Amino acid sequence: MPVLALSLGAVLSLGACAGTGGNARVEPAEASGDGVLRVGVILDNSGDNAFLNAPQLAAARLAIQDINAAGGHKGRPVELLPVHPDQDTAKQASDAAAAKADVVIGPTDSSHAPAAADILSRAHIPLISPANTAAGLTGLASGGYYFRTAAADVAQGPVLAKLAKDAGAATISVLYQEGSYGKDLSGAVSEAAKGAGLTVLPGARFKAGAAAEAARSASKAKPDAVVVIAREGARDALVELNSAGVAGSRIILSDGAFARYGSGLAPGTLEGARAVVPGQLPGAAFQAKLLAVDPALKDVSFAAETYDAVTLAALAAARAQDDAGRSIAANLVPVSGGTASSGAGAPAAPCLSYKECLGGLAGSPDINYDGESGPVAFDSNGDITSAAFSVYTFGADNNPSLSGRETAGHSG
């Protein structure tokens, strides 16, 4: 889960996850479903992040509404199981398994994924997160039952490097907050920058609230651009960079450092600075459909990724002609247009809805769903192989405005 939330107006600690043996993503599965496709949703946000539950639930309801309007699964309505956001992640996962869920969507917080995946993989139920971004979840021990429609944090590395180069920078420094997010993404940015022909000058790491020395060190290297990778320590780092003479268009922010800083920074501190945000703001038509499901909705964070997760699960069940979790896990990669092995041919032409893709399945087992969040294309780890990012540029008031879009991809 990234820190950013997209409004309608505008570190991981991995525990042991025993999972199951084998790899359900590539192993054949015999039909064993009961004929009813049941979808569970884990809503694990509380406190200040509780607002993130509503858009995910609305998107899951909308996806099921659209799937059922197109005939459901084998002529029977797809069911959404009751949600219990007041319960912890493990309890929600256990309850979903007890309620005979065939697939579960969630959780939001990357640190909650291992516990949920452990419980659900033992029950042979795929888990598809619309928001997990921690790089360490790639290769999570789940027996092949864990997928995510959100890109890993490190996927933004090439985009951050490209923003620097596009602005004319020949040299960069990376200033990053201690922790797995900062360390992993810093490495990805440096590698991408070198690959793009940029010179990576000495950077520095810092602890949240103690960025002064690191900022002075980065400034001393005299880079054309400084990439700031941080979360809760971002504002302090920006204050210290400004004090060290680095401000404005020389600054590029990772998604964790993205915020509406406004008067929290001296006027003009971020004027011309750019930031990346995973995903893209859903289109007006999709937002209108979400509001029809939940008129009180104020935010659309992870809604597109949730909608696509549910739709992909239904398409996997349709391809298998079976609603059991094993069958869904074994068919998620092919319906996404992805591949679990090297040397595969080009994917089929994209289809853009459950109804359209279902029609494609009638003539061929090879389809390629591209949904509200863009291309998905799962790889052998259950990660997406193409990620869309929104680019924001800050004004003199230190607030961001959407200024462009970028796409990053990898092969796995």
Side-chain angles (χ1 to χ4, degrees), residues 41 44 57 83 103 138 171 175 189 198 244 253 265 276 375:
V41 178
D44 60 323
L57 182 57
V83 297
V103 62
T138 294
T171 61
L175 186 69
V189 171
L198 300 177
L253 304 176
L265 294 174
V276 299

Side-chain angles (χ1 to χ4, degrees), residues 11-77:
V11 191
L12 178 68
S13 176
L14 285 175
C17 178
T20 60
N23 186 351
R25 300 185 191 106
V26 298
E27 294 170 351
E30 293 185 4
S32 59
D34 61 8
V36 178
L37 177 58
R38 300 180 183 88
V39 179
V41 178
I42 292 176
L43 300 175
D44 60 323
N45 300 289
S46 59
D48 291 342
N49 288 328
F51 71 94
L52 293 171
N53 292 331
Q56 293 177 70
L57 182 57
R61 287 173 170 162
L62 175 59
I64 290 175
Q65 175 182 298
D66 288 347
I67 291 164
N68 287 338
H73 174 65
K74 298 177 71 173
R76 300 181 68 172

